Amino acid sequence: MASAAVAAPAKEEASGGKAAEAARVAPVQPTAVYETHKLHVAPPDDAALRAAPSVRSHDMLAPFTAAHQFTDAHPLVIVKSEGVYIWDSDGRRYLDGLAGLWSTALGGNEPRLIEAADAQMKKLPFYHSFWNRATEPAMELAKELTGMFTAERMGQVFFTNSGSDANDTQVKLVWYYNNALGRPEKKKFIARDKAYHGSTLVSASLTGLSPLHKSFDLPVDFVLHTDCPHYWRYGRPGESEEEYSTRLAESLEALIEREGADTIAAFIAEPLMGAGGVIPPPAGYFDKVQAILRKHDILFIVDEVVCGFGRLGAMFGSDLYNLKPDLVTLAKALSSAYMPIGAVMISQRIAHEVAAHSNKMGSFAHGFTYSGHPVACAVALEAVRMYKEMDVAAVVQAAEPLFQGGLRHICQGSPIVGEVRGEGLIVGMELADPVTKEPFPPAWAVGPFFGQCAAAHGLIVRTIGDTIAMSPALVISPGEIQELLSIIRLSLKETEAYVRSKMDMSDIE
């Protein structure tokens, strides 16, 4: 079994020596992790923040980070990556269980992607795509993407810089399309509670997570939200998955009818919900939803930002769940996150109407300076070729039994694991009472505590409340999966002890 301890810093690491790989420190004991938890998880109160000296460890306004964390003089600074591993500035090695942000599908320091970027930088580091200009990498990448997406025939690709601005583009495209058809009132969008579609103004509105709305005056009024399809959490006693899916589909149709189908432009969904807690759809869900969308002439946008390029054991989530989208959003694994790039794929029917309307209007007046950036497209093109050459869907299918089955085996019988869920190489482990499904008190911060334990033993996971999310690089080996599982087992035992201590304190109080 691979060691679960954290690699100690070593001078030889800087020169490529092996001493840093061999050196290990003893696993952090639970009591020490409790102290780490107290120091770094619980935020200080307002009075403490006001009294604290103005000390910052860097000058970034960091995304999704609370202000009190800026006073921590020791942020986790990542300086190197190799395969599934990352190293911090103190020389400690971690297995990156989240592949960056669900994104570095081909792992760190992949030579082919680096060489693709280097070659393009030397040839043409930048040119734009406005006014019928183009670059070879952008045209080749668009052709590859329309050819490999087979769930529904796509006609064109519009390149963006990320998934967020790709979903903003989706909204503008749909409005443009309906205006072209003489339907200016058909402008509302339906998304789902706990969905994640980005953090820009419109994409954050589509997102169904309240932290992205509070104090930002969001969501905007043309975005509506329907039920989160999490059967384990929201299914009623005695209700089957199919019955639950039927109830959610009926709820969606009732929302459409209340608002008026002639005002609803599109429905957007992730095949499997990522940042909302790794939530696969219940049985029959998308079949029922798509029938309603067709009935009411509502476009279907599939957000493949997390699921695309093999993550679920199929090239796209649309393939796995038999989705027939009108528009598709791509990002993250599109370039294995080596370069910022996103894409909108447009069905032939919509592309035809957009083209006709742009001729009438004089242009399609939307785009970004970096749309189709040649270096980003060259890297993405090489990544897409690698996915096809390695048969990435088959690779993930082969790894799934050990990854998914191993985690379920470890969690079986745990008094603090309510559900383990996922597909392929993405999984969510929800910490809750397995009998009552009752969540732990938020003040206990059980999920963040687990994350601290895992990091102390050399594994990076994502904590979504009390759900532990993992989506390692798709190139992870069986031995590396075993290492990940070993750390999960150890961290789970420590977290069980922590929860018992909290329960004992509650009994005393």
Side-chain angles (χ1 to χ4, degrees):
M1 179 183 73
S3 172
V6 179
K11 294 179 181 178
E12 291 84 352
E13 176 62 21
S15 60
K18 295 183 178 180
E21 293 295 325
R24 291 287 186 266
V25 296
V28 176
Q29 298 301 313
T31 52
V33 179
Y34 296 164
E35 290 302 313
T36 302
H37 173 74
K38 292 174 185 175
L39 287 171
H40 297 292
V41 174
D45 58 30
D46 290 342
L49 277 174
R50 287 192 295 271
S54 179
V55 177
R56 293 178 299 168
S57 56
H58 56 73
D59 294 311
M60 293 170 53
L61 177 58
F64 291 88
T65 304
H68 72 84
Q69 293 171 282
F70 293 145
T71 63
D72 178 0
H74 302 287
L76 183 62
V77 179
I78 303 303
V79 299
K80 174 185 171 183
S81 65
E82 186 81 40
V84 301
Y85 296 101
I86 55 175
W87 282 259
D88 70 15
S89 53
D90 293 323
R92 295 186 178 90
R93 188 187 78 170
Y94 305 86
L95 198 162
D96 184 4
L98 195 65
L101 282 173
W102 332 84
S103 52
T104 50
L106 295 170
N109 206 26
E110 167 50 52
R112 286 179 58 176
L113 302 185
I114 295 168
E115 290 164 9
D118 182 60
Q120 187 60 45
M121 284 288 287
K122 290 174 178 175
K123 182 179 179 181
L124 178 68
F126 172 73
Y127 203 72
H128 63 82
S129 299
F130 284 38
W131 313 310
N132 203 31
R133 273 62 164 179
T135 65
E136 290 177 347
M139 292 190 295
E140 290 179 36
L141 180 58
K143 184 177 180 180
E144 283 280 355
L145 293 175
T146 55
M148 73 189 300
F149 191 87
T150 58
E152 190 75 0
R153 179 64 176 164
M154 293 290 127
Q156 287 182 308
V157 179
F158 179 88
F159 290 115
T160 67
N161 307 312
S162 70
S164 291
D165 58 352
N167 280 326
D168 274 23
T169 295
Q170 295 282 25
V171 172
K172 290 183 71 178
L173 266 171
V174 170
W175 284 352
Y176 196 84
Y177 168 76
N178 279 321
N179 286 337
L181 295 179
R183 306 187 301 192
E185 73 288 345
K186 205 169 176 65
K187 294 293 169 63
K188 296 176 186 175
F189 283 72
I190 298 178
R192 301 179 296 173
D193 290 337
K194 293 197 175 182
Y196 185 86
H197 298 295
S199 62
T200 52
L201 189 145
V202 175
S203 65
S205 295
L206 296 170
T207 292
L209 300 170
S210 60
L212 281 85
H213 299 162
K214 292 178 179 177
S215 295
F216 292 109
D217 298 335
L218 298 176
V220 293
D221 58 8
F222 60 81
V223 173
L224 312 169
H225 288 90
T226 190
D227 308 272
C228 170
H230 187 183
Y231 172 67
W232 181 82
R233 173 56 65 191
Y234 301 117
R236 294 169 179 168
E239 186 177 47
S240 70
E241 280 194 51
E242 281 281 354
E243 291 168 339
Y244 176 65
S245 295
T246 298
R247 176 159 62 86
L248 264 57
E250 290 172 348
S251 176
L252 171 63
E253 186 158 35
L255 173 61
I256 292 168
E257 291 174 348
R258 284 197 304 272
E259 297 291 327
D262 59 342
T263 72
I264 308 297
F267 173 84
I268 185 169
E270 305 155 271
L272 174 149
M273 300 174 82
V278 186
I279 303 169
Y285 174 79
F286 277 119
D287 289 341
K288 299 173 192 296
V289 165
Q290 289 182 101
I292 290 169
L293 301 180
R294 287 191 295 270
K295 175 182 175 182
H296 294 287
D297 192 18
I298 294 170
L299 297 177
F300 186 21
I301 304 170
V302 174
D303 185 336
E304 291 267 11
V305 168
V306 169
C307 299
F309 304 104
R311 175 61 61 186
L312 306 185
M315 186 59 82
F316 295 97
S318 297
D319 300 321
L320 185 64
Y321 299 123
N322 193 31
L323 309 185
K324 304 296 181 185
D326 299 289
L327 301 121
V328 178
T329 306
L330 304 173
K332 295 192 184 290
L334 174 55
S335 68
S336 192
Y338 278 47
M339 290 295 292
I341 185 170
V344 171
M345 292 201 292
I346 309 161
S347 68
Q348 289 183 318
R349 173 170 60 99
I350 294 177
H352 173 77
E353 295 296 340
V354 168
H357 198 54
S358 70
N359 288 334
K360 178 182 176 182
M361 299 299 294
S363 73
F364 174 63
H366 175 72
F368 309 104
T369 299
Y370 303 124
S371 294
H373 191 288
V375 180
C377 287
V379 173
L381 183 61
E382 191 65 19
V384 167
R385 287 170 176 164
M386 289 183 68
Y387 296 137
K388 293 169 73 173
E389 289 172 16
M390 68 190 284
D391 193 357
V392 67
V395 168
V396 173
Q397 290 168 19
E400 181 176 20
L402 178 58
F403 180 68
Q404 298 282 348
L407 188 61
R408 284 166 170 76
H409 177 74
I410 289 169
C411 295
Q412 187 175 8
S414 172
I416 67 167
V417 179
E419 184 187 33
V420 178
R421 53 185 180 263
E423 296 275 4
L425 283 175
I426 184 170
V427 72
M429 179 176 73
E430 184 160 344
L431 304 179
D433 188 303
V435 178
T436 66
K437 303 184 183 180
E438 189 72 22
F440 296 112
W444 291 8
V446 175
F449 177 84
F450 184 102
Q452 293 276 0
C453 290
H457 296 300
L459 172 66
I460 300 295
V461 299
R462 178 169 181 178
T463 58
I464 304 170
D466 285 345
T467 294
I468 309 304
M470 287 171 282
S471 64
L474 307 185
V475 295
I476 191 169
S477 70
E480 291 160 347
I481 293 175
Q482 291 285 12
E483 179 182 353
L484 180 151
L485 293 173
S486 297
I487 298 174
I488 292 295
R489 181 183 289 107
L490 181 59
S491 302
L492 182 60
K493 292 300 181 186
E494 292 172 347
T495 306
E496 288 172 352
Y498 168 73
V499 171
R500 282 196 297 272
S501 74
K502 285 292 187 180
M503 289 179 171
D504 291 343
M505 291 175 64
S506 296
D507 290 341
I508 293 172
E509 293 170 359

